[in-house]
Amino acid sequence: MDLTTWIATVEADINRRPGLADRTWAWAYLIRAIALNDLLAAPPGTTTDAVWVEPQMAWTMDDLVDAGVRATAPTVPEVDAGDVRAVLTAALRRLILVASADDPRLPMPLVDACGYAVRRAALAHHAISGTLP
Amino acid sequence: MTPPRVTYGELMDDARRAAHQGMNALARERFPDTSGARATVAIRAELLAEIGQHTVTVLGSTRVATWREGVPPRRCPEFRQPAVIATLAWIDTLIDHGRPHPVSLPTPESAVAAGHWARSLRLVRAATDLVATHQDARGAVRSGTPRDLALADVGGLLASATRLVNVIAPIEPLAVRARQAGMTPAEVEQALPLADRLLQDTYALEGALRFPMSAVTGLPLHRAPIGTGDPAVEWRERLDRVHARMHRHAQRSRASVRTLHDVATLGLVTSHVLTSSGLRDPATGPDLTGQWRAVLAHLAPLRSIERHDRVIRHDTERMLDLARSARTAGDPPARGRLIRAIDAGVPTMDACSGLADRLLAQTTDAWIPAKPHAPYLRDLHPPGTAARRAPPPEAQWPRMPPPPPASPGLDCG
């Protein structure tokens, strides 16, 4: 499966969730899981650039949970080591797009949590790809 | 059509929502040209200065003037309180941000973020006007003013303003976008300095005012503030503070899994930076990195809704920010000093890991994934809140082996 199809499949799965905050949490969970797997699968004694992504997504999930989000974890597909950077970059872009959608019905705690999620994702994107989306 | 906003809370919430939208726009898209970037930087400065003026109005100009005159404490007992000192410093910092841009630049339609922040600015001005209707010409509250405004303490009055500042104070991604659009490094550094203290001052103010949802409850003002002028000094001071906080948690025998994860993250990033900069000893470095990874793997499935230590979280975020090479890439001497400071902090990091090791064994937090349940049944135990005792730690926290006495090339101190 190529990257575009892969992302589209994951996106379709996540888009079935009802709320914007739930979808943001699911993307954060997915990205964090991929980053963590990449870190843990690195050769002994080494680290990868996923070290900059994993904490940002962990903090995003904490913010969302503190704002009241309770969601089930999405299925995390396996990603080849060579594809991790491209997958993380594409998934971070999706998170930014999802979380930055303007929903006037969203309560302020979730507005804050989603706003901070966008900024954390932008920082992670910059750290792993050297540029902003 | 959106109904008109009529209360102070609604106006300030909408201002914060617009501020978030501006930040979101910066994360999503580039500036079309340099003028859009300059206009956005200018409107941000104007918004911050306006929040400073707004704060004076909300507190009452008479009260602020009294604080500034430094009347004897007997006549004005709140004058010397740390909260008052922090508030005055914060107001000055905000107003100072507006000084380089005394005149508003025209906002191009294409600068989306500037448009959102201009709306936020209008909403803050409307909120200021709303409050001002309850004050007389001298800035004192009129009779009949709502009790919440007339008698609220400083913390209650400033909560909305500090939350708004928290949204727009961070200089990234605006600084990156401004560079992309063609602003010179000198321009960006002048308008959005790396050593900007606004976010730090806002956290300090929230700590002093003891907001219920403060980012740093318990942050004492009598301790010297963190210096943000030099990344190396800032790294050392923040690491010392993390260490002190971990000591406090160890004395109470309690720390959230989230806080332990933050410390593990810091350890792994330290390892990553030292390895990639070539400062790590090839004999011990890989082992230590591997141990940090094992700890992170052990902590990964654990979740908690228990709040993290916000001071440690804030410090970890900022330290990661400093350690990313992009932040100091333009200044190789500063980068060199930072790397040496990170290297010198390894024993402190090791002490933190020792404390975390003890706390990890005592943690009872675990996360059980929520299961779908019928929505018409009220659950007394909301999903995700169940807790059980965590399994015993499979990984020991990394400890630095003592440096060999006769090893001229290995200097961890």
Side-chain angles (χ1 to χ4, degrees), chain A residues 25 29 32 36 38-56 58-63 65-67 69-73 93 96-97 99-109 111-124 126-128 130-133, chain B residues 5 12-14 16-17 20-21 23-30 163 166-168 170 172-173 176-177 180 258 261-262 265 268-269 271-273 275 285-287 289-290 293-294 296-297 299-300 302-308 310 313 316-317 320-321 323-326 367 370-372 382-385:
Chain A
W25 185 90
Y29 181 95
R32 187 194 175 204
L36 190 63
D38 184 53
L39 271 176
L40 300 182
T46 63
T47 53
T48 68
D49 280 344
V51 77
W52 305 115
V53 178
E54 193 272 341
Q56 298 290 351
W59 297 335
T60 295
M61 289 165 62
D62 286 349
D63 289 343
V65 167
D66 289 346
V69 173
R70 300 287 185 273
T72 50
R93 275 195 205 127
I96 289 171
L97 286 177
S100 64
D102 184 25
D103 181 355
R105 294 164 305 172
L106 212 59
M108 281 315 291
V111 170
D112 283 330
C114 289
Y116 291 129
V118 172
R119 196 156 67 242
R120 290 188 193 288
L123 288 178
H126 188 264
I128 200 162
T131 181
L132 289 172
Chain B
R5 300 300 188 184
M12 291 302 281
D13 278 357
D14 270 7
R16 192 157 93 248
R17 200 182 282 266
H20 272 303
Q21 287 169 350
M23 274 293 192
N24 293 347
L26 288 173
R28 276 195 317 260
E29 53 206 73
R30 291 167 176 258
R163 285 191 192 119
N166 273 332
V167 174
I168 52 174
E172 283 189 0
V176 178
R177 290 296 190 207
Q180 277 179 345
R258 295 181 183 186
H261 175 268
D262 289 346
T265 297
L268 198 64
V269 165
S271 239
H272 181 74
V273 171
T275 304
D287 288 347
T289 305
R293 282 202 329 207
L296 202 63
L299 289 172
L302 304 182
R303 290 283 184 285
S304 173
I305 58 165
E306 184 179 337
R307 295 260 173 183
H308 45 267
R310 288 171 181 261
R313 171 67 56 90
T316 308
E317 284 187 54
L320 259 64
D321 214 17
R324 279 192 297 125
S325 59
W367 181 64
K371 287 182 182 171
T385 59

Side-chain angles (χ1 to χ4, degrees), chain B residues 57-148:
Chain B
T57 306
V58 169
L59 292 174
S61 52
T62 309
R63 172 154 57 173
V64 175
T66 309
W67 287 348
R68 286 197 191 283
E69 286 164 9
V71 293
R74 191 174 293 172
R75 282 178 53 200
C76 181
E78 58 187 353
F79 171 64
R80 290 190 190 281
Q81 285 181 6
V84 169
I85 296 167
T87 304
L88 289 178
W90 188 68
I91 291 171
D92 290 343
T93 308
L94 283 170
I95 294 174
D96 280 349
H97 273 76
R99 289 221 171 105
H101 305 279
V103 180
S104 295
L105 296 172
T107 306
E109 296 246 339
S110 51
V112 180
H116 287 303
W117 286 350
R119 180 163 180 273
S120 183
L121 179 64
R122 286 195 298 276
L123 288 162
V124 172
R125 281 181 179 151
T128 309
D129 291 344
L130 177 65
V131 172
T133 59
H134 293 283
Q135 295 172 341
D136 62 19
R138 291 177 296 113
V141 291
R142 296 176 194 276
S143 62
T145 296
R147 186 180 173 80
D148 285 348

Side-chain angles (χ1 to χ4, degrees), chain B residues 41-274:
Chain B
V41 169
I43 199 87
R44 174 184 179 271
E46 202 173 345
L47 176 55
L48 289 172
E50 183 61 38
I51 297 170
Q53 297 294 348
H54 170 83
T55 305
V56 173
T57 306
V58 169
L59 292 174
S61 52
T62 309
R63 172 154 57 173
V64 175
T66 309
W67 287 348
R68 286 197 191 283
E69 286 164 9
V71 293
R74 191 174 293 172
R75 282 178 53 200
C76 181
E78 58 187 353
F79 171 64
R80 290 190 190 281
Q81 285 181 6
V84 169
I85 296 167
T87 304
L88 289 178
W90 188 68
I91 291 171
D92 290 343
T93 308
L94 283 170
I95 294 174
D96 280 349
H97 273 76
R99 289 221 171 105
H101 305 279
V103 180
S104 295
L105 296 172
T107 306
E109 296 246 339
S110 51
V112 180
H116 287 303
W117 286 350
R119 180 163 180 273
S120 183
L121 179 64
R122 286 195 298 276
L123 288 162
V124 172
R125 281 181 179 151
T128 309
D129 291 344
L130 177 65
V131 172
T133 59
H134 293 283
Q135 295 172 341
D136 62 19
R138 291 177 296 113
V141 291
R142 296 176 194 276
S143 62
T145 296
R147 186 180 173 80
D148 285 348
L149 177 61
L151 298 177
D153 63 11
V154 177
L157 291 173
L158 296 191
S160 295
T162 51
R163 285 191 192 119
L164 178 55
V165 171
N166 273 332
V167 174
I168 52 174
I171 60 173
E172 283 189 0
L174 178 56
V176 178
R177 290 296 190 207
R179 288 297 313 280
Q180 277 179 345
M183 284 177 69
T184 64
E187 271 182 300
V188 174
E189 179 59 25
Q190 190 194 359
L192 307 163
L194 181 62
D196 190 15
R197 289 198 51 83
L198 181 57
L199 204 55
Q200 181 69 26
D201 286 350
T202 307
Y203 282 133
L205 177 67
E206 288 178 340
L209 298 180
R210 300 188 186 285
F211 290 168
M213 294 294 287
S214 165
V216 281
T217 46
L219 177 67
L221 273 186
H222 60 264
R223 194 174 294 165
I226 299 286
T228 55
D230 182 356
V233 174
E234 188 177 345
W235 178 278
R236 194 174 61 242
E237 290 179 354
R238 288 191 188 278
L239 185 58
D240 286 345
R241 188 159 75 179
V242 168
H243 184 215
R245 299 286 299 187
M246 287 300 289
H247 251 299
R248 189 187 292 187
H249 288 304
Q251 284 168 353
R252 294 176 184 162
S253 300
R254 185 169 182 81
S256 164
V257 162
R258 295 181 183 186
T259 298
L260 300 179
H261 175 268
D262 289 346
V263 174
T265 297
L266 204 52
L268 198 64
V269 165
T270 300
S271 239
H272 181 74
V273 171
L274 292 181

